[in-house]
Amino acid sequence: MDISRRNFLLSTGAFALSAGCRSTSLFGKPDLRFGVISDIHVTTENSCRILKKSFKYFKRRGVDCVVIPGDLTDWGTKGSFVLLKNTWDAVFDGTEVKPIFCTGNHDYDGWFYSDMTMEMHANGVSENDAMVKHGFKDSWEELFGEKFEPVRVRSVKGYDFVSVEWRGQNNFKAWMEENSKRFENDKPFFFFQHVPIKGTTRDSSSGGGDDGVKSVLENYHNCVAFTGHTHRTFNFESSIWQGGFSAIAVPSLSYTSMRFAENGSGNRAGLATQTMPPLPLRADHCGGQGYVVNVWNDCIAVERIDLRNETSDCRDWVIPLGDNADKPYDPASLSKKIPAPRFPEGAKVEVETRNTENRVGKWAIVMNCEFPSAVVDGGYRVYDYQIRAVVLDGSQHKMVKTFLSPAFAKQAKFEPLRQRFWFNVNELPQGKRYVLEFTARNCFGKASKPIYSKEMMSVPGFAEVDKSGIKG
């Protein structure tokens, strides 16, 4: 063990490395380096462009393997798996770099998801090409030349990678009991499955039941788990968690999912009622993000990379290892360390009404709001903004609107100097004086000091007018 490096980690908190600083410049050449991407959702040959670019980047970085925790394909067809294998071979054939993949829900079930099936048919692909209809295990072993089991372990340079396949979680506890001695030491090992491990990272509730995975891994402080499925962005600080082990959510290579917001996600069937149009972030296979993981026996450093630009301005996640190692990413500790956002000194809000259309193309009168972007000190990012109607007589009003910055999924350099959001005026207070309160929040919900609009009052009667069916 490198005592100087370990002392540095424990005494200075190397997790606080400034944004964009590469930990290898401090700690030297790692014992192992691997790339991690997830949810690559391969469909046609065109969908493999960002995948090939990512593989080339990892190759230039000198990785020893590439980990992909599930949703390797979108439709779950054998043809898509062939495209994945061909893309890998085009970059890594003839090298010793090892593919370490596991499956997700789309790999088994994508072919009968209604919207996926429609897309398949439009591309001339039949459900009969579903991997499961070819025999998943046999087809995998034929394509990738390795044994396929619900739980398996693969080793690279003496480090173990344990994967759980889709539908394989129920096998994990028994498998670990049988193989536990292999991991009963301080040497790090890596676990990965598609869905988040329930009770870990911010979106881990979306993983459903944990099937005992968390309770098993809690016994292994030397475990670092990687999961996919949530399509979170690489700058989301709640994507890392520490308890008895460490868990990290991996961003999607194919597209970014947005949580519900006035300019975020709505009803997937097109029934959204928000006024502001959604941010254009479900752009398939063009804005991928992922990690480069550097491994030493006493620490791990995770570089967060915008694979489209092959750059990053996110700080490295540096995880000290060992029985008595600090846990800088346990949620309580991390939420205290990340400061609340702040608006620039003297920030002012501009508000005015205007005519526009809502998200489904219907005419609307909106309150347009503009104000300077907030910042978070220490190289962190604003997670979202909230606008709330505050009635000056002290009575309550239900209007609270949440918005995402148009650059929330991108590097900080793309953050606009000013934010511009709008919402329907029929949600404003009626017949009472009020102001609009604006706050910026970090990923733990810690809010900035508010800034306010001018005092306003809407003449009573909005509700009645709105119901009357105004003609344009």
Side-chain angles (χ1 to χ4, degrees), residues 385-399:
Y385 292 88
Q386 283 197 335
I387 303 176
R388 183 169 71 96
V390 180
V391 182
L392 298 181
D393 66 8
S395 59
Q396 298 297 310
H397 188 73
K398 64 182 181 179
M399 197 208 88

Side-chain angles (χ1 to χ4, degrees), residues 391-393 395-396 429-434 456-460:
V391 182
L392 298 181
D393 66 8
S395 59
Q396 298 297 310
Q430 299 294 295
K432 295 182 178 181
R433 301 199 71 80
Y434 68 92
M456 295 178 282
M457 186 177 82
S458 301
V459 174

Side-chain angles (χ1 to χ4, degrees), residues 55 61 64 83 97 116 204 220 223 225 242 261 298 311 337 368 378 428:
F55 284 166
R61 291 297 309 275
D64 300 296
L83 284 172
V97 180
M116 301 298 101
S204 58
Y220 298 91
C223 174
Q242 282 187 295
D298 55 357
T311 58
K337 292 184 178 80
N368 189 75
L428 292 165

Side-chain angles (χ1 to χ4, degrees), residues 447-464:
S448 67
K449 291 181 179 180
I451 55 177
Y452 295 93
S453 71
K454 63 185 179 183
E455 284 189 23
M456 295 178 282
M457 186 177 82
S458 301
V459 174
F462 261 9
E464 288 74 13

Side-chain angles (χ1 to χ4, degrees), residues 145-156:
E146 62 177 5
K147 192 174 181 180
F148 184 87
E149 297 291 349
V151 184
R152 50 191 168 139
V153 60
R154 285 160 279 184
S155 297
V156 179

